[in-house]
Amino acid sequence: PIPSSIPTVPPTPSAAYAELLELLTANSPDGGLALARPSSPQSIAATWLVSNPLYPTYSSERKLRRYALAVLYLSLDGSNGSWSSDAGWLDDRDSECDWAEVYCDDENGRVIKLDLYDNGLSGTLPSELVLLRDGLEELILYSNDVRSPVDDTTGEKDWSFLGALTRLRVLDLDENALGGTIHTELGKLVNIEKIYLGNNGITGTIPGGVFARKAKLKLLRLEGNELRGTIPPEAAQWSPGTLETLRLSDNDLGGRVPVWLGALGVLKDLRLDGNELSGYLPKELGALTGLTTLRLDRNKFTTDLPSELFNLVSLTDLRLYDPDDDGERNVLTGTLPPAIGQLKNLTELLLQRQRLTGPIPSEISGMTSLEELRLDDNMFEGTVPSSLGDLSSELRILRLDGNTMNGTIPTELGRLTELRVLRMDGPDNEDDGGGEGEEAGEPNEGNSFVGTIPTELGNLTNIIELRLTENELTGVIPTELGNLVNVADLRLGVNRLTGFIPSELSRLTELVDLDLYYNFLTGKIPRQLGRLTQLEDLYLDANYLTGPVPGDLGSIETLNELYVGSNDLTGTMPASLCHLRAKNLVDLVSDCGGDVPEVVCPVPGCCSECDE
């Protein structure tokens, strides 16, 4: 903070003060107008400067530097103690080069870098910064509350003065509140290498010529603003030999992706997600073979996937769809080319909820770094390639549900031992049991896998969610599924499964949801299922189960829904289950209807619904 001994209003005019005012008036961007206001940061800074006992020893250049820094400090709330790092600032005894986060050229004392990242700055960015133009190469004010000054004539926010800092190599004003538009004056930054202007509420269009032919520009970030219009044609001239990062995400840019983006040959990071871009994806993007990040999600593309896109063998981050966004989205059509296997460095492939058709190419197994593969809710057909079992040992999520695939479930999937989620269920059905699903044996509208459930799936001991619902699977439920000790969601309903419910399922003590409804299961309900003390939903309806409902199920105090209707069960509903109705058990459905109920509910309200 300002030492209390320094006056905050101009003293009686002196020769020194008059000389300083003349110097500042001649060099200030506003011609010294702000100096005429006694309470302005400029006036207080001039008073502080001339009051320093060492003032007579300063050169004109140093007076301007100290004045500019003092104005910055006072304009951005430094004097109120809000800066997290301000050691030495406005201390008469210290050189400005010793002030916190100020870096100078050792040879001539010029300020070459201001690094006030996330420092509690709040206020209007002063145009007096231009007085540092003789040395300033890096201006870093990222993550503060810096606002743009307002032009007295137009009333518009105007930070065009930054264009006068022609030695700048790094301009980082990300995550502030500049507002206004991108000014053509920024085109004067001939030495600029990195521009960060994201998340500032900047409006208007992108003036393409501002960033054109910058021989050293490596990074341009304009994401998270309110920019509109199209990506300008001049983008083809945005330092094609040096530009490595271009981020225009989360604006309101429309039109098509320009084909000439493919001319930015050294790009590594291209992000256009979260805009209003439409049309097709140009094949010319395939020329950007150095890309590691390509984000195009949250737009309005309706397009085939160009095969050239899969020549981008360096990609580690490809986003064409955002699963967390419920608004506008891309619609991808066509097939997956065999060349997809070339993306060996990609860790996620998210292509769900699209209109992709044809078979899944076996070459997809070449994507050996995948951790998540989502192809759900498309129109893929044919069989599941057994080569999926050769995918990365780090694969955590594999979703093929909601397609029109057939054939058997490959035993090779049992090699994916780090899987947490495996879904191969049929059409997306909001009903997950409880008597409203389709009849057993009725044809599915989605996947229709046949054959038995491979015993090898019992090797997936890290699985948390396994869904094979609504297919045409036959045979018995493998006892090996009792090895899936971490599974919380096991759904095998709406198939043609036969035989008994394996008592080994009682080892799945993390189960929350167990769905076996609409099959051809026979025998008794295993009393050992009462050990599933985390279970919330148990669907056993629409089978051929016999015998009584075991009272052991009443020990599952977490139970929320229990469907045992449309079976051949008999006897009386256990009192232990009736008691759960007063706790968490909302739905208890059994064959307790008709003149002669097969299952008797002993007290009113015990069963919530009765099938006949």
Side-chain angles (χ1 to χ4, degrees), residues 424-435:
M424 302 177 69
D425 32 323
D428 187 13
N429 191 328
E430 292 298 324
D431 180 74
D432 286 324

Side-chain angles (χ1 to χ4, degrees), residues 199-491:
N199 303 292
N200 267 292
I202 298 172
T203 59
T205 59
I206 301 175
V210 168
F211 308 112
R213 300 185 180 91
K214 293 289 183 291
K216 302 176 182 179
L217 187 61
K218 297 179 181 179
L219 179 147
L220 177 59
R221 291 183 53 174
L222 303 175
E223 74 270 23
N225 285 297
E226 300 170 27
L227 296 168
R228 61 183 187 276
T230 61
I231 300 173
E234 293 88 347
Q237 300 169 2
W238 287 356
S239 306
T242 60
L243 190 62
E244 297 179 352
T245 298
L246 176 60
R247 298 188 186 180
L248 305 178
S249 312
D250 296 307
N251 281 286
D252 296 312
L253 299 171
R256 297 188 173 184
V257 175
V259 296
W260 12 268
L261 281 182
L264 303 179
V266 298
L267 264 185
K268 295 181 180 179
D269 186 340
L270 175 60
R271 306 189 189 193
L272 306 177
D273 49 304
N275 282 289
E276 302 290 324
L277 298 170
S278 59
Y280 63 91
L281 293 179
K283 64 181 181 180
E284 286 79 3
L285 293 181
L288 302 175
T289 54
L291 275 183
T292 58
T293 298
L294 176 60
R295 296 188 181 181
L296 302 169
D297 52 296
R298 295 181 294 121
N299 280 290
K300 298 179 180 179
F301 298 118
T302 300
T303 178
D304 285 0
L305 285 173
S307 59
E308 290 83 358
L309 203 62
F310 300 100
N311 295 332
L312 306 179
V313 296
S314 298
L315 277 178
T316 59
D317 184 353
L318 171 64
R319 299 192 187 183
L320 301 171
Y321 171 76
D322 182 358
D324 297 323
D325 187 75
D326 294 327
E328 295 288 349
R329 61 185 178 89
N330 301 327
V331 178
L332 305 177
T333 57
T335 61
L336 288 183
I340 195 172
Q342 298 178 154
L343 305 184
K344 298 182 184 297
N345 298 304
L346 204 63
T347 57
E348 292 182 351
L349 182 61
L350 308 181
L351 296 175
Q352 65 268 43
R353 296 178 62 195
Q354 304 298 326
R355 297 179 185 173
L356 298 170
T357 60
I360 297 174
S362 60
E363 290 84 355
I364 201 171
S365 62
M367 303 180 72
T368 51
S369 297
L370 275 182
E371 297 176 10
E372 183 171 358
L373 175 58
R374 290 199 57 176
L375 302 177
D376 45 294
D377 295 315
N378 279 281
M379 294 182 283
F380 288 113
E381 54 196 25
T383 60
V384 177
S386 60
S387 61
L388 287 184
D390 298 325
L391 285 170
S392 166
S393 61
E394 298 301 313
L395 190 68
R396 299 294 194 273
I397 298 175
L398 175 58
R399 289 193 56 175
L400 304 175
D401 48 293
N403 285 288
T404 57
M405 304 184 73
N406 52 40
T408 60
I409 298 174
T411 60
E412 289 82 359
L413 296 185
R415 298 203 293 259
L416 303 174
T417 55
E418 293 299 319
L419 271 182
R420 269 56 170 181
V421 176
L422 174 59
R423 288 192 56 177
M424 302 177 69
D425 32 323
D428 187 13
N429 191 328
E430 292 298 324
D431 180 74
D432 286 324
E436 299 296 331
E438 58 192 16
E439 295 294 335
E442 194 170 293
N444 294 322
E445 297 177 0
N447 289 332
S448 54
F449 294 113
V450 298
T452 60
I453 298 174
T455 60
E456 288 82 359
L457 295 188
N459 298 329
L460 306 180
T461 54
N462 290 297
I463 201 85
I464 295 173
E465 182 179 356
L466 175 58
R467 296 194 191 188
L468 305 177
T469 313
E470 299 191 53
N471 282 289
E472 302 290 336
L473 299 171
T474 56
V476 300
I477 299 173
T479 59
E480 288 81 359
L481 295 189
N483 298 329
L484 308 182
V485 293
N486 290 296
V487 70
D489 190 344
L490 178 58
R491 306 192 189 194

